[in-house]
Amino acid sequence: NIPCMKTFQGDHASPITAVALSHSGLLLATASRDHTANLYSLATNSLVRTFKGHLDAVRSVAFSPDDRLLATASHDDTVTLWDVDSGNSVRTLEGHNGWVFTANFSADGKQLVSASSADKTSKIWDVASGRCLATFPAPNGLFDARFSPDGSRVVTASRDGYAEIWERSSSRSGGGCGGGGGDDDGG
């Protein structure tokens, strides 16, 4: 058996839905149905701050490669980017038409990919501007999406039991970020 090093409990009002360790290994982030994400210091074994602002359950948390940003994906149809040091919201990414299950950064931290089972899309976002760069449609909804190490592909996990690899060039790109069926105009 592997011994448990530390248990963090009691700081959320509802079940924890996801966890992430910072790339430095010094911080732990938790997501919860209570509409918040918490940040813990592993050096002091204490709660550092609570990120508040989502209107529904937070489904995932992810640190940027430099650990300066935390992305939270929520059932309120948004992804929020938070400044880890201050706890302030940097930007909210809006464009999904349903629960967002996950959000993950590219290896260089310049882009983020999100996935929604409800609107059946995965979207690539520019972190600096918050602009949607591409949309990948999925016929039966998505639970997860990740970049390949070089950022040229996105891999998705779908409700219908498929794992699919998408070439970035096959996405619908352009100015819009509408959800549902991959239409950039929201239709």
Side-chain angles (χ1 to χ4, degrees):
N1 290 342
I2 299 172
C4 178
M5 294 174 51
K6 173 67 180 165
T7 300
F8 296 90
Q9 181 181 3
D11 295 313
H12 282 292
S14 295
I16 293 173
T17 56
V19 295
L21 284 172
S22 65
H23 298 276
S24 69
L26 300 175
L27 300 170
L28 168 71
T30 59
S32 175
R33 288 185 186 172
D34 68 6
H35 310 184
T36 69
N38 283 346
L39 184 70
Y40 297 92
S41 166
L42 298 183
T44 62
N45 292 324
S46 62
L47 177 66
V48 174
R49 72 180 36 87
T50 298
F51 300 94
K52 296 179 182 178
H54 282 292
L55 303 176
D56 206 335
V58 178
R59 291 293 302 198
S60 79
V61 286
F63 286 95
S64 62
D66 63 6
D67 290 336
R68 292 182 178 178
L69 295 175
L70 182 72
T72 55
S74 173
H75 281 189
D76 67 7
D77 307 353
T78 68
V79 174
T80 300
L81 301 177
W82 306 89
D83 181 285
V84 170
D85 289 334
S86 71
N88 294 327
S89 171
V90 174
R91 118 177 345 96
T92 299
L93 308 177
E94 297 178 346
H96 281 290
N97 294 325
W99 296 353
V100 184
F101 279 92
T102 191
N104 292 290
F105 287 93
S106 59
D108 63 8
K110 294 180 180 179
Q111 296 179 350
L112 184 130
V113 62
S114 59
S116 171
S117 184
D119 75 7
K120 302 176 183 177
T121 67
S122 178
K123 295 183 182 296
I124 296 174
W125 307 85
D126 178 76
V127 171
S129 69
R131 189 171 69 94
C132 181
L133 302 175
T135 299
F136 297 86
N140 292 306
L142 296 170
F143 290 128
D144 199 8
R146 310 269 173 160
F147 284 103
S148 62
D150 68 0
S152 67
R153 297 179 182 147
V154 170
V155 62
T156 58
S158 65
R159 171 179 276 180
D160 57 6
Y162 290 96
E164 296 178 296
I165 299 173
W166 302 80
E167 291 290 337
R168 294 283 304 273
S169 60
S170 69
S171 67
R172 294 188 59 159
S173 59
C177 200
D183 292 337
D184 285 329
D185 63 3

